[in-house]
Amino acid sequence: MPTPHAVRGDITQARVAAVVNAANRAMRGGGGVDGAIHRAGGPAVLRDCVERFPHGLATGDAGWTTAGEMPARWVIHTVGPNYSAGERDRDLLASCYRRSLEVAEEIGARTLAFPLVSAGIYGWPKGDAVACAVETISASTADVDEVTLVAFDDATLALVEQHLR
Ligand code: AR6
């Protein structure tokens, strides 16, 4: 598995086969990167979510939909633990990366871009969220070519780069 690399930017514009969404268990959209993905992808993303995930998705799990009008072909939705609400099991956060990579392999998505799952609205401390992402992606044996960690601002990019060194 290649070591992930870091870029700063808006994940909805990433030129990859699959972008990962930090969703919630209901899988019907939300704020943060989830809101941005649904806005950029258009109604096809929600339509697919309703069809494919009638009962939502469990924390730590992942599943795919099409990406609608985004450059990517698929969205891999994953549900991170809500640290602010007391969900602090780090293995559940690691599971988001593991399961997303497994789903990528299943659908044949060779390149993917991750946001920092749980590190926004769900309040996971950013340094540890970055460490968990880098460790878990690096340890994965999923058959994919390239993994990008997308930082939304310069400070986060610096943090990710520090962990990759
Ligand atoms: N591109 C890349 N990264 C982004 C973007 C973007 N367009 N927008 C935000 N981020 P969050 P969570 C970063 O809050 O903590 C939603 O309501 C952001 O700066 O999107 O897992 C869902 O529906 C942060 O570093 O996800 C859930 O209810 C990271 O993406 C809940 O929020 C994740 O922040 C999930 O919360």
Side-chain angles (χ1 to χ4, degrees):
M1 175 71 227
T3 316
H5 69 269
V7 300
R8 191 187 68 78
D10 175 3
I11 203 168
T12 66
Q13 300 310 309
R15 306 241 158 221
V16 289
V19 294
V20 177
N21 182 23
N24 58 57
R25 286 195 291 267
M27 284 281 284
R28 298 295 180 266
V33 72
D34 194 9
I37 282 175
H38 278 271
R39 275 194 300 279
V45 180
L46 182 59
R47 193 190 57 221
D48 268 20
C49 281
V50 171
E51 231 175 74
R52 295 184 49 81
F53 306 98
H55 308 295
L57 201 60
T59 304
D61 202 0
W64 64 271
T65 67
T66 55
E69 291 158 42
M70 284 181 282
R73 178 161 172 201
W74 295 281
V75 179
I76 297 175
H77 304 261
T78 190
V79 182
N82 187 344
Y83 187 95
S84 302
E87 296 173 4
R88 299 185 179 185
D89 179 354
R90 197 174 190 264
D91 195 53
L92 275 181
L93 182 58
S95 173
C96 291
Y97 292 94
R98 280 196 296 268
R99 283 289 304 132
S100 296
L101 284 156
E102 281 170 18
V103 170
E105 183 175 314
E106 265 165 47
I107 61 182
R110 309 283 322 168
T111 55
L112 67 164
F114 279 98
L116 276 179
V117 179
S118 290
I121 293 164
Y122 280 178
W124 202 284
K126 214 159 238 183
D128 192 51
V130 171
C132 186
V134 171
E135 276 165 31
T136 311
I137 294 166
S138 305
S140 166
T141 55
D143 186 21
V144 301
D145 292 330
E146 196 178 296
V147 179
T148 306
L149 266 175
V150 181
F152 204 41
D153 54 64
D154 287 326
T156 308
L157 179 66
L159 199 59
V160 176
E161 282 174 339
Q162 192 185 317
H163 275 271
L164 288 172
R165 258 184 247 123

